[in-house]
Amino acid sequence: MKKKIGMVALMLFLTLPNFLKAQESDFGNWLIYFGNKKLDAKWNIHHEVQYRSYNAIDDLEQLLLRTGLGYTFNEGKNNVLLGYGYILSENYINNTDDKLSVNEHRIFQQFISTQNIGSVKLSHRYRFEQRFIEDDFKMRFRYFLSLNIPFKSTSPFYFSAYNELFLNTESAIFDRNRLYGGIGYQLSDNIRLEAGYMNQFFETSGRDQLNLMAFVTL
């Protein structure tokens, strides 16, 4: 019964943006699904889908598909992963209504370390990317620090926050920074849902996002 309730709530969560569509907003919107399939006690397959829109849902900014094979060690506290991602970006041209489609194929390696300080869960993720963007090639390093704090020991609600720094290997070292805060709900041992606000800033500009996320482990 709990699994059925969880899947119904997951579907409602993923269709929520249809209700937001009619609302005018200056915020962009990211719909994100993170999946993790355990092959055994050590090995896992990561998969995710991200739909990023300039508005509520109907103006595609970026579609991101990512997967990878991971290995867990140190009593489940660490994970290394080799992954691949495909990214389709729809970029506006010089403040006009015209768009340019950009295809990117990405190979990445990452290391995740988790730790608990009381009821607070901390996670560090180090990721190195090799990016094949049309006819160009770039490399980038990312450092992601997140924390998860339950409202109280018996509550399924929790507070989530993270900061992620992006650094290029070329002369323009700083790429971007993402700062996020949100509220999550643990539906079951395998499913949790989260909604929050993210500010992404570049060297000379910034942008706000509304993030809706689903995390599923099978």
Side-chain angles (χ1 to χ4, degrees), residues 137-151:
F137 175 73
K138 298 180 179 180
M139 293 190 293
R140 184 169 65 184
F141 174 78
R142 299 165 60 165
Y143 171 65
F144 175 95
L145 172 63
S146 70
L147 60 85
N148 182 305
I149 306 173
F151 282 12

Side-chain angles (χ1 to χ4, degrees), residues 49-98:
V49 180
Q50 299 192 29
Y51 180 92
R52 303 172 178 179
S53 179
Y54 287 104
N55 54 29
I57 193 172
D58 59 353
D59 190 5
L60 177 64
E61 177 183 5
Q62 194 171 70
L63 174 66
L64 188 151
L65 309 174
R66 189 153 41 206
T67 188
L69 177 64
Y71 179 79
T72 301
F73 60 100
N74 191 21
E75 300 179 344
K77 297 178 182 179
N78 301 111
N79 180 272
V80 291
L81 182 140
L82 174 63
Y84 164 79
Y86 168 73
I87 299 91
L88 170 64
S89 300
E90 296 281 345
N91 302 325
Y92 279 107
I93 304 173
N94 297 327
N95 297 320
T96 69
D97 292 332
D98 298 323

Side-chain angles (χ1 to χ4, degrees), residues 169-183:
T169 60
E170 300 175 352
S171 57
I173 301 297
F174 178 76
D175 186 331
R176 68 194 67 189
N177 192 86
R178 292 174 181 167
L179 181 63
Y180 167 86
I183 302 296

Side-chain angles (χ1 to χ4, degrees), residues 151-204:
F151 282 12
K152 57 182 180 179
S153 59
T154 59
S155 173
F157 289 96
Y158 62 89
F159 171 74
S160 176
Y162 73 75
N163 192 82
E164 186 170 20
L165 176 65
F166 295 67
L167 300 174
N168 295 311
T169 60
E170 300 175 352
S171 57
I173 301 297
F174 178 76
D175 186 331
R176 68 194 67 189
N177 192 86
R178 292 174 181 167
L179 181 63
Y180 167 86
I183 302 296
Y185 183 82
Q186 189 80 44
L187 276 170
S188 69
D189 291 339
N190 299 326
I191 300 175
R192 59 188 174 97
L193 307 177
E194 196 170 302
Y197 162 84
M198 184 186 75
N199 175 257
Q200 181 172 207
F201 62 90
F202 306 87
E203 186 174 359
T204 59

